[in-house]
Amino acid sequence: MVEEIKERFFEDLNSAEDLQKLNAIRVKYLGKKGVLTAQLKLLPSLPPSERPLVGKLINEIKVLIEKELSSKEAFLKEAELKKQLLSEYIDITLPGKYTPFGSEHPLNKVLAEIIDIFIRMGFSVEEGPEVELDYYNFEALNIPKEHPARDMQDTFYISDEILLRTHTSPVQIRGMIKRTPPVRFIAPGKVYRCDADISHTPMFHQVEGLMIDENVTFSNLKGVLVTFIHLMFGQDVPVRFRPSFFPFTEPSAEVDMGCILCRCHGCRVCKNSGWLEILGAGMVHPVVLENVGYDTERYNGFAFGMGVERIAMLKYQIDDIRLFFENDIRFLRQF
Ligand code: PHE
């Protein structure tokens, strides 16, 4: 009888594949109305001599059933946990969703670098209008109406007195009028000239620089510009100053640096000269200082100007200026 119970129990146990069924088996065998309880209730009806043995057997099987139930319970709990973990599994090795990033325009990048270098040398940053008065763009800079220097600049006129600024030099004038010396700032911004080919676009960018104080010398100018070129292009780049002419500076110079493409040996970019012109500069003409009401006996200074596109083209070895403005994503992605 007891053996039969054991056999049936194991059959039931094997067929229990979840905790709910296992619990039903527990009730079936050990519950108040369970199989074993029923057996125990039968004990008094047995002959007294058999009772101890049968009682013992029933107790043994009860212990066995309890043990088997609890080990099966542990097994089923573990299996359920595994099943749950498996269903909640996230594959973190899957590639993420691709979001294309924009990048900084190469001109903005170079401009930021230029500005940063001059800020480190103590210059502040000044801005001015792109639609400018003839007075600030020419007149105040010692370029009167019939001056031949106006021809160099291919000006876009809006009216007789209003134009698109052809250089950032008018910001010199506006900046000086606003201040009293000492003055030290750079003026980055867009400028416009009616010109278009492989090395000219109708709009391009310049950075102008100005420093006015007592006893400013040409060697101060050289020091600032050589430092700038070395920080921008490398410490070993040779630099030379060539005499030149600008109406608003006297003396004036153009500044060349050794061609970084051919290391001064001569190539297509430097037209076989080994040198690249990158800056215009000079000591501010006293007439310009007078125009803004500065005491020319006490103050003097230097100014310089450079084209941002030109610097970017040299830095990134780009041979057509128009690439900067075509917004071809394949070009822009490279920076
Ligand atoms: N404004 C000049 C130009 O556009 C550059 C320059 C600036 C030269 C300051 C000398 C001093 O060509």
Side-chain angles (χ1 to χ4, degrees):
M1 182 68 200
V2 169
E3 278 308 309
E4 214 173 285
I5 292 174
K6 207 160 131 184
E7 222 167 273
R8 270 195 285 131
F9 167 73
F10 278 111
E11 257 167 43
D12 284 345
L13 193 68
N14 282 338
S15 69
E17 70 264 306
D18 60 39
L19 287 167
Q20 215 181 344
K21 280 189 184 133
L22 193 71
N23 209 38
I25 294 169
R26 186 190 308 278
V27 172
K28 178 175 171 187
Y29 289 90
L30 303 177
K32 266 189 201 146
K33 291 176 184 161
V35 177
L36 282 183
T37 323
Q39 287 299 317
L40 281 170
K41 277 181 186 158
L42 284 178
L43 270 184
S45 63
L46 292 175
S49 60
E50 288 180 18
R51 283 180 210 161
L53 181 67
V54 175
K56 191 176 160 235
L57 281 174
I58 292 173
N59 256 326
E60 272 172 14
I61 196 169
K62 192 180 167 198
V63 170
L64 177 77
I65 287 176
E66 273 167 353
K67 192 176 137 242
E68 287 296 328
L69 281 173
S70 74
S71 77
K72 179 94 187 205
E73 185 183 344
F75 171 81
L76 286 177
K77 273 189 177 158
E78 169 101 11
E80 224 152 86
L81 185 67
K82 270 190 192 147
K83 206 171 126 194
Q84 189 192 356
L85 288 177
L86 212 63
S87 74
E88 290 172 0
Y89 173 71
I90 297 167
D91 185 356
I92 56 167
T93 66
L94 282 173
K97 279 188 193 148
Y98 172 65
T99 320
F101 282 107
S103 59
E104 210 177 0
H105 193 282
L107 284 179
N108 280 335
K109 235 170 144 156
V110 168
L111 190 57
E113 221 174 303
I114 295 170
I115 292 172
D116 184 58
I117 290 172
F118 284 106
I119 283 178
R120 279 150 68 193
M121 287 196 269
F123 287 78
S124 60
V125 177
E126 182 78 13
E127 288 187 331
E130 289 166 30
V131 179
E132 188 52 285
L133 293 173
D134 183 285
Y135 176 76
Y136 292 105
N137 195 80
F138 290 128
E139 209 90 8
L141 286 159
N142 199 27
I143 314 174
K145 279 257 147 65
E146 303 308 327
H147 197 288
R150 290 202 178 201
D151 295 345
M152 294 171 10
Q153 304 229 349
D154 306 305
T155 312
F156 285 112
Y157 280 96
I158 289 168
S159 70
D160 265 1
E161 293 303 323
I162 301 171
L163 44 76
L164 296 182
R165 67 179 180 194
T166 58
H167 50 181
T168 42
S169 303
V171 186
Q172 262 189 52
I173 304 298
R174 291 176 175 276
M176 282 193 284
I177 290 173
K178 266 196 238 168
R179 297 173 169 77
T180 50
V183 167
R184 186 161 44 170
F185 62 77
I186 55 168
K190 291 181 164 65
V191 300
Y192 301 84
R193 292 184 198 180
C194 187
D195 205 352
D197 60 35
I198 186 167
S199 54
H200 297 87
T201 45
M203 184 280 293
F204 60 103
H205 298 77
Q206 283 189 338
V207 175
E208 174 106 2
L210 177 73
M211 173 164 152
I212 309 289
D213 203 344
E214 294 175 13
N215 306 315
V216 177
T217 67
F218 200 93
S219 44
N220 295 145
L221 170 62
K222 282 181 94 171
V224 166
L225 294 183
V226 170
T227 303
F228 165 71
I229 292 169
H230 283 170
L231 288 174
M232 197 73 199
F233 290 101
Q235 293 296 332
D236 50 356
V237 176
V239 178
R240 73 176 185 189
F241 286 66
R242 258 185 306 108
S244 185
F245 172 79
F246 298 104
F248 35 90
T249 49
E250 182 61 37
S252 302
E254 273 168 329
V255 185
D256 299 340
M257 65 174 206
C259 181
I260 45 171
L261 296 166
C262 62
R263 300 208 154 261
C264 309
H265 292 304
C267 67
R268 193 173 58 93
V269 175
C270 62
K271 299 195 181 88
N272 276 323
S273 70
W275 293 95
L276 298 162
E277 183 203 320
I278 65 156
L279 279 150
M283 303 306 289
V284 179
H285 199 294
V287 167
V288 175
L289 296 178
E290 267 163 30
N291 287 341
V292 296
Y294 283 8
D295 178 357
T296 51
E297 292 298 311
R298 191 166 163 205
Y299 296 111
N300 69 333
F302 62 73
F304 56 87
M306 68 186 90
V308 180
E309 282 77 359
R310 178 140 178 89
I311 296 199
M313 286 168 83
L314 294 174
K315 188 133 185 140
Y316 294 122
Q317 313 197 351
I318 296 161
D319 57 9
D320 187 339
I321 192 174
R322 293 169 294 199
L323 284 166
F324 288 124
F325 306 110
E326 282 167 356
N327 286 333
D328 184 331
I329 217 94
R330 294 165 301 178
F331 170 74
L332 296 175
R333 275 220 181 104
Q334 295 173 45
F335 303 93

